[in-house]
Amino acid sequence: MLRTEIMDGEQAIARGAERIRGGDVVAFPTETVYGLGADAFDRDAIRKIYAAKGRPSDNPLIVHVADKSQIDELARTVSLQARTVIDAFMPGPITIILPRAACVPDCVTAGLDTVGIRMPAHPVAQAFLRACGTPVAAPSANRSARISPTSARHVYEDMQGRIGLIIDGGACDVGIESTIVDLSGDTPIILRPGAITPQMLADALGRVETFAGEVVVARAPGMKYKHYAPDCPMVTCADREKAFAAYDRIAAQGGRPILLCGTDWTDAADGRRLICLGDDARAVMRNIYDALHRAQAQADYIVCQDFGDRGAYASVMNRVRKASGGNAL
Ligand code: TXA
Ligand code: MG
């Protein structure tokens, strides 16, 4: 068992970068979720990421950069469409899939001919990546199939004893993983929805498609795995009275249910236990993973409001539906 340290400030960034250059893994904050990083060019260090997460090795990693010039080193070609996305949304909560350059190791891309690249906007992430002096491959800093971490404490609870250092940069402001857009072909395709919405991408690019097919040969291989699952059963429900009835049924059986919902449900909740997610899509996005972490610690049954698919709510519901395994009332 490793001793897991949590540090913040300048010292944490210096120590983290030292560890990365020494071939170790480090958890660090970004504006989306916390990542578990390693030197993207160090195969042994990359293997430590897969081991710490318990991640299947056919699921590729995103490479994080501090500087746009590093994108040209990692990609074989950067199309005009890709330049448009880079100019409009980077740094920020987006990952672009581009044809990979020969320098990117197979273990990072899981053998694919493409590479995912992200430039986070979080000031601590930027300072850390600059101090590392190398692109940093990083998945989210949770064990495979568990809820993604949006605070240093979430990382600690899940990865304690498996990694040596967590850089604490506070709570993540965006709250769910980056939008992934595949720009390796002629048509831009959204592989994973996030804070950068299809509408925002369509406004910048003129057109964009959303990958909706069945994942057989995976486009984003991560999509075929079970994801974001809490420790207890979870259902979603769009109808408030039905959700309350489900809660009451579990409570009457001696269970410990909890409601995850927006402010429009909280006033009517009448003493039922709940975690309020906020009153707009950005707030719900920022709070959803922390709420899931807290809910699974306090309850044995989660009833989550279905917010529908308008605007950024669609990205939140993408994660919530995976967390609930598609169970809807
Ligand atoms: O916001 C984020 O993207 C966070 C922070 C840490 O940057 N990272 C993150 O990484 O969510 P991860 O590994 O949990 O999810 C990355 C997803 C996986 O589903 C993976 O299959 C997909 O990106 N992916 C990575 N490289 C790819 C590629 N070349 N082609 C298609 N999908 C790729
Ligand atoms: Mg993940």
Side-chain angles (χ1 to χ4, degrees), residues 54-271:
R55 181 179 178 111
S57 61
D58 67 344
N59 195 0
L61 307 177
I62 293 170
V63 181
H64 296 68
V65 299
D67 205 283
K68 290 185 180 176
S69 66
Q70 291 171 302
I71 299 171
D72 297 276
E73 287 163 35
L74 297 165
R76 192 163 65 238
T77 54
V78 181
S79 65
L80 270 176
Q81 286 183 328
R83 294 273 173 226
T84 302
V85 171
I86 292 166
D87 289 344
F89 301 113
M90 291 170 105
I94 192 161
T95 296
I96 55 175
I97 306 293
L98 296 177
R100 94 195 235 205
C103 65
V104 183
D106 262 340
C107 55
V108 169
T109 65
L112 296 177
D113 193 35
T114 53
V115 58
I117 305 175
R118 170 150 192 249
M119 184 176 176
H122 194 296
V124 175
Q126 293 203 344
F128 170 64
L129 292 169
R130 270 196 303 275
C132 290
T134 178
V136 169
S140 51
N142 53 290
R143 276 192 273 158
S144 212
R146 315 260 299 219
I147 300 163
S148 298
T150 54
S151 71
R153 190 177 45 81
H154 294 159
V155 180
Y156 186 81
E157 281 165 6
D158 202 22
M159 302 296 281
Q160 183 189 353
R162 295 167 160 259
I163 60 176
L165 178 65
I166 301 165
I167 301 175
D168 188 350
C172 301
D173 202 43
V174 171
I176 66 169
E177 302 86 344
S178 61
T179 302
I180 302 181
V181 58
D182 186 346
L183 296 165
S184 65
D186 289 337
T187 307
I189 305 170
I190 296 173
L191 302 182
R192 180 174 72 183
I196 307 292
T197 60
Q199 188 59 57
M200 291 162 77
L201 280 163
D203 287 346
L205 287 169
R207 59 172 189 158
V208 63
E209 286 180 10
T210 296
F211 180 77
E214 198 185 335
V215 183
V216 182
V217 177
R219 296 293 295 249
M223 293 195 301
K224 70 180 193 269
Y225 296 109
K226 188 171 182 218
H227 256 103
Y228 325 111
D231 294 337
C232 63
M234 172 170 168
V235 295
T236 59
C237 185
D239 181 281
R240 189 178 71 186
E241 299 320 313
K242 250 197 202 169
F244 288 177
Y247 175 106
D248 294 345
R249 211 159 40 239
I250 298 291
Q253 291 163 8
R256 293 168 62 234
I258 195 161
L259 292 164
L260 268 50
C261 56
T263 40
D264 50 332
W265 284 19
T266 52
D267 286 344
D270 199 20

Side-chain angles (χ1 to χ4, degrees), residues 281-298:
R282 293 298 150 145
V284 174
M285 190 181 281
R286 184 181 317 115
N287 293 326
I288 188 66
Y289 282 145
D290 184 59
L292 286 170
H293 281 277
R294 283 163 53 205
Q296 70 175 4
Q298 293 171 34

